[in-house]
Amino acid sequence: MTEAKNITTTSGASNNTLMEFFPPREVPQPQEINFVVGTQSDGDQKRYQVELDVNFDCRVGDLLEAKDNRTHRHYLLMVVDIDYAFPHKTEHAQMLDLLRRRPDKEVDDPTFRALCKNLAICTLLGEIQEREITERGYRPSKYTTTVVEASSHTEKLMASEWQIGVDIGSLRVGRENRPHVPVRFSTVELVGKRFLIVGQTGKGKSTAMRQLLDGHLRAMSSKQENRQVGFLVDDFKMEYPFDTYNQSGETVPGLISKLGAVSKDKLVILSCNPDEYREHTHRIRDIVNLQLPLETLSLSVLCDLANLTEAQTNVVRLIEDTGRKSSEFFSDLLAVDEYGMPNTVIWGRKYGPMFYSATGKKKVKKGEEINEEEDIDKGLRDRLSYIRRAVQRLLKMPFMTRNASYGDCTGKLLQYLREGCTIIVDKNQLEDHEREMLTVVLLYHIFRHNQAMASGSKEQRDRMIPVVAAIEEAQYLLSQDKVADPDSIFAKIAFTGRSYQIGLLAITQRPQAIQKELLGQFDGFLVLPLEHANDFRHLADACPALSGYRNDLASAPIGGGVIAYGSPKKIVSVQIENYL
């Protein structure tokens, strides 16, 4: 018995020794491995194909961190689409379904799942190096690059270059918001720049503008910025200064309610009906009666505003070349005779042979006086009659006066902009054509002032007013026919305003209606979801960097958008504040 016991003990010790050399086998859990397996072209853009592990959940807009095991470089990718990893046809899916249902010919689950792998189509955002995303020209290698979900630290890098200026919202990754990662935008930098806010109704354009104005007013009032920049803002519904309601019926506080003392310091309302807002007088800087004298307009601007034909425009420019002042032209144009009828004879007396008819020329040769309508060329009389009616239509607009003695707000307008105030232009009760006319006239006065200062001494140049004009329904002012003539006020505002410290912040639902060449010269874009694919293609042609964000925007929640700004364009996906 003793010997047997010793043998058993010796055997047990031997087994323990063997276990040390041959430990129990541990089967590792399957890992999610996503490989870069190729590329594809989408126009001028290259897309990376990432074969996804069957257990990896991925959506459009997600950020992926890629590591190239061959070069040891790190990259950041964004998913722009999800495709099938293998080119299955409908009959393949039916066949696989039948195989899974038949007990005698089952397809094992791993094989079936492998056949159903997805392919993430990604765009390369840049290389991750030293806590920043850069473009160094390197690209991920095929098969040696693996991809995982981006960490929160890497996501923050997307907003690292968007930390100067006013809060406009927070970082958005697909449909998810990152409230702890703010996105800021500098409104002061918009001076001399062109920026477009575009999106369909109800997707956050007004909310974005309200955020920008809120932050800008606070900055100007607190003197955080050394430079005082004025804002001139269209408001069709007076929804910026006053409380309004969103689509859910909830109250959206206006600038007056949110800003308090700041609005008293820096907010001004410019309106044809100032009495409607008298109750708010103690809460804002001023309510200015909107009055713009006709005589302050140049004759070139008259041609743009009055929509004159080429022949009628030639008459006006012929008179302009004589060097006479606009006030004298309008006075002569609206003059009446002793019977209250339009006085066309005055044109022959003052401007000479260019207006004479054959009868008038004979009279002059005989030394007789020009005193009858027949002495004036009939064609010119007809053109003058149309020009007169066009001017009379202008004078019927609620914001136009005949001359400064009847009212003029331009002095106050320029002074408040010089002080860095935000001026809300009340267009609530105006017709569409009146809104367009008003925008052009206001911009003309600002443009003319800064243009005059720019050509003077250093002291005069310092008196230029840095201003940003926010224009609603901008497609009407920036369309092909409006900016076709380089001498028109529309073209000057669109193309040369930047030379005179005038920034243009255009707001529209229809980017394809904006002249294509001009759109391509915009410095930045805030793009919210669009209704028509043609609108996005028009934008992508103007800013190719946006091309990969079409699906991201299509699936974005309300208030979700993309900002592209600078040269080269920096891009960030954003969730607009107050839509969180």
Side-chain angles (χ1 to χ4, degrees), residues 33 61 80 88 137 150 233 250 257 260 362 396 428 440 486 511 555:
I33 303 178
V80 298
H88 290 313
V233 184
E250 301 169 330
S257 300
K362 290 178 181 179
K396 288 180 180 179
N428 189 28
V440 174
S555 59

Side-chain angles (χ1 to χ4, degrees), residues 401-414:
T401 61
R402 183 160 180 172
N403 53 54
S405 63
Y406 291 91
D408 184 0
C409 70
T410 54
K412 279 189 173 183
L413 169 71
L414 297 175

Side-chain angles (χ1 to χ4, degrees), residues 296-341:
T296 59
L297 300 180
S298 71
L299 299 188
S300 295
V301 171
L302 170 66
C303 295
D304 294 334
L305 292 176
N307 196 25
L308 303 180
T309 65
E310 183 177 358
Q312 294 155 3
T313 299
N314 288 338
V315 172
V316 176
R317 289 180 174 169
L318 193 63
I319 296 169
E320 187 177 31
D321 290 341
T322 64
R324 296 183 184 273
K325 295 181 179 179
S326 299
S327 56
E328 185 176 1
F329 168 81
F330 289 120
S331 177
D332 292 340
L333 189 68
L334 299 172
V336 295
D337 59 22
E338 56 183 318
Y339 304 105
M341 300 299 291

Side-chain angles (χ1 to χ4, degrees), residues 136-360:
R136 301 182 184 276
Y138 295 102
R139 297 292 182 264
S141 302
K142 186 177 180 180
Y143 297 130
T144 64
T145 303
T146 56
V147 173
V148 296
E149 183 180 359
S151 65
S152 58
H153 174 74
T154 301
E155 288 181 352
K156 289 180 181 179
L157 297 180
M158 288 294 297
S160 61
E161 295 188 59
W162 300 86
Q163 298 302 308
I164 298 176
V166 306
D167 283 334
I168 189 172
S170 51
L171 180 68
R172 178 179 60 82
V173 179
R175 292 188 60 84
E176 296 180 4
N177 175 44
R178 302 290 188 260
H180 59 285
V181 185
V183 174
R184 298 184 174 93
F185 186 78
S186 176
T187 52
V188 174
E189 284 189 5
L190 290 176
V191 173
K193 302 289 180 62
R194 290 182 287 255
F195 191 83
L196 182 70
I197 297 180
V198 58
Q200 66 190 74
T201 301
K203 294 301 183 180
K205 295 192 301 297
S206 297
T207 302
M209 271 302 302
R210 196 178 288 110
Q211 282 297 121
L212 287 174
L213 295 176
D214 180 289
H216 182 76
L217 280 159
R218 293 179 191 274
M220 292 299 102
S221 181
S222 64
K223 306 298 187 293
Q224 294 177 12
E225 296 283 353
N226 296 326
R227 190 183 191 191
Q228 292 291 295
V229 175
F231 256 71
L232 186 70
V233 184
D234 281 355
D235 196 337
F236 285 11
K237 304 175 184 176
M238 291 305 282
E239 59 184 340
Y240 297 139
F242 307 120
D243 295 352
T244 184
Y245 300 94
N246 62 17
Q247 294 174 331
S248 302
E250 301 169 330
T251 300
V252 178
L255 295 173
I256 292 176
S257 300
K258 292 178 67 176
L259 295 174
V262 173
S263 65
K264 179 68 176 175
D265 181 35
K266 291 293 184 180
L267 188 61
V268 175
I269 292 177
L270 188 62
S271 175
C272 298
N273 305 292
D275 291 337
E276 291 190 11
Y277 310 111
R278 291 300 177 195
E279 61 181 286
H280 301 286
T281 303
H282 65 288
R283 304 173 67 189
I284 58 179
R285 176 71 176 271
D286 197 3
I287 301 172
V288 179
N289 191 9
L290 181 51
Q291 295 177 312
L292 301 167
L294 176 67
E295 65 177 14
T296 59
L297 300 180
S298 71
L299 299 188
S300 295
V301 171
L302 170 66
C303 295
D304 294 334
L305 292 176
N307 196 25
L308 303 180
T309 65
E310 183 177 358
Q312 294 155 3
T313 299
N314 288 338
V315 172
V316 176
R317 289 180 174 169
L318 193 63
I319 296 169
E320 187 177 31
D321 290 341
T322 64
R324 296 183 184 273
K325 295 181 179 179
S326 299
S327 56
E328 185 176 1
F329 168 81
F330 289 120
S331 177
D332 292 340
L333 189 68
L334 299 172
V336 295
D337 59 22
E338 56 183 318
Y339 304 105
M341 300 299 291
N343 188 354
T344 56
V345 176
I346 192 173
W347 294 93
R349 292 174 177 170
K350 292 187 68 171
Y351 297 95
M354 70 175 76
F355 286 100
Y356 294 162
S357 64
T359 304

Side-chain angles (χ1 to χ4, degrees), residues 88 150 156 253 290 353 433 445 513 527 549-550:
H88 290 313
K156 289 180 181 179
L290 181 51
H433 70 283
H445 283 292
V527 186
Y549 288 83
R550 178 181 174 183

Side-chain angles (χ1 to χ4, degrees), residues 5-70:
K5 184 177 180 179
N6 290 337
I7 292 171
T8 304
T9 305
T10 304
S11 176
S14 177
N15 287 338
N16 290 336
T17 303
L18 289 173
M19 290 299 293
E20 290 179 4
F21 290 101
F22 301 98
R25 182 183 179 189
E26 295 182 4
V27 179
Q29 294 295 319
Q31 296 182 357
E32 297 178 355
I33 303 178
N34 313 295
F35 284 104
V36 174
V37 296
T39 61
Q40 66 183 44
S41 296
D42 183 7
D44 295 333
Q45 303 295 315
K46 179 181 283 189
R47 302 283 184 255
Y48 290 83
Q49 299 170 321
V50 178
E51 184 180 293
L52 300 177
D53 189 278
V54 292
N55 300 305
F56 188 78
D57 189 19
C58 184
R59 296 188 302 185
V60 169
D62 284 353
L63 297 177
L64 304 177
E65 205 168 334
K67 181 180 179 181
D68 191 331
N69 295 306
R70 183 177 68 84

